[in-house]
């Protein structure tokens, strides 16, 4: 009887700037991204690199990224709520924070 062993690999990285070992092309690309961020006034440019074996469709990757950003939105909303509550408490009960 033959035993089948599924094999897969997935690497995923997110960067928000060029590394010291980056090529000159990559450093220029990051400078352009930084300039675009400043022109937009808000937001942040991230570069996502991934390698999945066996290959999955781009639509599936996009779906996964979308779900991940939905989770991020929820977490950021919770953090904003907590920060707003703390600001109110600092104002209302300043003596507790001395």
């Amino acid at each position: 009887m033959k035993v089948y062993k599924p094999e897969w690999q997935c690497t995923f990285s997110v960067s928000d700037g060029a590394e010291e070992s980056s090529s000159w092309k990559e450093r220029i690309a990051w400078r352009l991204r930084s300039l675009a961020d400043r022109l937009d006034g808000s937001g942040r440019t991230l570069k996502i690199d991934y390698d999945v074996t066996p290959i999955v469709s781009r639509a599936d990757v996009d779906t996964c990224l979308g779900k991940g950003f939905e989770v991020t939105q929820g977490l950021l909303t919770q953090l904003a709520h907590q920060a707003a509550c703390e600001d109110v408490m600092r104002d209302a009960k300043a003596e507790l924070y001395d």
Side-chain angles (χ1 to χ4, degrees):
M1 178 166 103
K2 185 173 182 177
V3 176
Y4 293 93
K5 180 182 173 190
E7 295 183 18
W8 68 93
Q9 178 181 345
C10 179
T11 57
F12 184 86
S13 66
V14 177
S15 56
D16 63 352
E19 297 178 7
E20 292 179 20
S21 61
S22 299
S23 69
W24 65 271
K25 289 180 184 179
E26 189 172 347
R27 288 193 306 270
I28 289 174
W30 276 109
R31 286 190 183 152
L32 291 172
R33 291 178 183 114
S34 175
L35 176 62
D37 285 347
R38 285 196 302 266
L39 290 173
D40 287 343
S42 66
R44 185 172 177 182
T45 298
L46 300 173
K47 183 179 178 208
I48 299 171
D49 290 315
Y50 63 91
D51 182 27
V52 181
T53 305
I55 295 172
V56 297
S57 73
R58 185 176 179 111
D60 287 341
V61 172
D62 292 347
T63 299
C64 290
L65 290 173
K67 289 180 180 181
F69 286 121
E70 287 175 15
V71 170
T72 301
Q73 171 67 37
L75 293 171
L76 288 173
T77 300
Q78 287 177 5
L79 285 173
H81 180 241
Q82 290 170 0
C85 291
E86 186 172 322
D87 287 347
V88 168
M89 288 299 295
R90 282 184 187 274
D91 189 47
K93 297 288 185 179
E95 67 274 7
L96 295 176
Y97 290 92
D98 288 337

